[in-house]
Amino acid sequence: MSAFKMESCFGADINVGYFDMEEILGILEIKEKVLGSKRVQSLIRTHGRKDRIVGVAMRQVAFDELRLTLDSEFLPYDPYFSDDKLLNSRRERLYDAQERFLTLCISIASGRSVRSLKKLNPDLNTKELRSKHGRSQSLFRYFRQELNEQTREYILSYKARMDKSGESGNEAETSSSSSAIEVEQHTPKLTAVQKASNASKCIPTSFDVETATALKLFQDGYSLLSTQVERFKRGEQLEMLELVKFCRRLIESHTRNNFSLMAIRHIKDSSIYLEQHAMGMAVLGIHFAKAMKLSGAYVETISLGALLFDLGRFRLPMAMVTKTTKMTSGEFDLFRKHIQFGEQILHKCEGVPKAVYQMLSDHHEKIDGSGYPVGKQDQEISVYGKIAAIIDAYDAMTSEQPHKPSMGPIKAYQQMQKESGLAFDKQLLDVFLKSIGSTPVGSCVSLSNGRVGFVLTLNKSFQPSLVRQVYSTKNKAFIESSDIELNKSANLRTDVVIDGEVDPQSLGLQFINHIS
């Protein structure tokens, strides 16, 4: 592969109003190589030059051609550079070429014209891109991942269509054109033996059996997160593979019996709140993603993002984290920086999905624009940020924290309803609230038989099903725990129903003492 000539970009007019891949390739002087590649030619023969899938392949091959240049060293970012002035020195001309080159790469990865990108982000710059080489990060891998994020769903649907059409007789041709397109998966391809093994890990289990597994999972998760915190405090990268493996274990447990993990999520020791908050959000992220009927790769990505997007809080002073009184304005200003701290942690890591960054940067933004750090409104907030905001708020509301007790699942449900369309995206919130039910797992309720219990499971209508009875209102005393089903078949239906919500603290009850 011959080296790409950076000089081709010097002084080039890149500020066009529409995205034209062939025009970009012409500016980069690699048009013939890209169009003549076997991958692109195979797709052109099958679909014609103007088909969208050809454009996607051209973008992939373009980055392959630019790989050597992308992984070379760039000049440091110059905030005072302007292409309006006369560029006399060789260094200035090289900087100009690099600036246009990197901007075009952003355009290729996003599928948007440069003018459109600058309109969406007036502060668009190359500072972060230029610094990646110095941090031993691959700019080629970064752009290929960005491109993959933008085109993944289309490529997968294209491959599915081609595979299906292959069943009707054009197998050789469809196989050839389908294989010409690359899609990077978040998870490695599995052999038949591995798939069978994974399937066996997801056989449904009872609440009590899975709860024992879930308890061990949370212990392992606490140890893993503690280790990761120590790593980034020493300036080391997170062990992303280990974190992904943990998320997969959570997903497997949730698949076997989702109620066990949703119950264990309530176990909160305020002295280690941050670690338990991260794991609780990972569980809620899995639950939410499945409720939205997302594919396995997205469930995994959202659970990973939920596990990581609040890591920046570990860089705040411990006295602030454990403070039991309201933060001062100065303390709150420092607290807001946990988003910046989190970004610094992730930037040191390779292979972090873009969705994870979006969950981190947007999880405190609000639909009405009253959030931070930017004050984005509605459509300006990424969908992943909106998801993160919902699970962050619900877990925080239902957790024991140093400065406040849990408000309980029912009140949290009601509070979030009030903020629908204000703090939270209405459509996404509707899906989330439906999936947890108006009397969620962990709710403390009074029963018509004179007992008080905690909801362990829900039925298919998202109403309480299994309730663990722990207190007698008649005797005003604790009783030996016993479970009662509220939704048996008609001929066996119990007469016991839920009378209402109970504040567990008023009776000295804590759900965490009655889960296992």
Side-chain angles (χ1 to χ4, degrees), residues 172-208:
E173 187 174 357
T174 56
S175 175
S176 173
S177 60
S178 182
S179 62
I181 281 292
E182 298 176 352
V183 57
E184 300 172 11
Q185 299 288 358
H186 289 301
T187 55
K189 292 181 179 179
L190 302 177
T191 65
V193 173
Q194 289 172 319
K195 288 179 180 179
S197 175
N198 285 351
S200 67
K201 292 178 181 178
C202 298
I203 297 173
T205 56
S206 68
F207 178 86
D208 286 337

Side-chain angles (χ1 to χ4, degrees), residues 110-124:
S110 65
R112 291 179 177 273
S113 69
V114 172
R115 186 182 299 176
S116 174
L117 287 170
K118 289 181 177 180
K119 185 176 181 180
L120 289 169
N121 182 10
D123 297 323
L124 181 73

Side-chain angles (χ1 to χ4, degrees), residues 195-231:
K195 288 179 180 179
S197 175
N198 285 351
S200 67
K201 292 178 181 178
C202 298
I203 297 173
T205 56
S206 68
F207 178 86
D208 286 337
V209 169
E210 194 58 41
T211 296
T213 302
L215 283 166
K216 175 66 166 58
L217 252 178
F218 263 51
Q219 292 169 0
D220 293 346
Y222 171 72
S223 298
L224 175 63
L225 285 173
S226 298
T227 299
Q228 302 312 304
V229 171
E230 291 304 315
R231 285 182 66 87

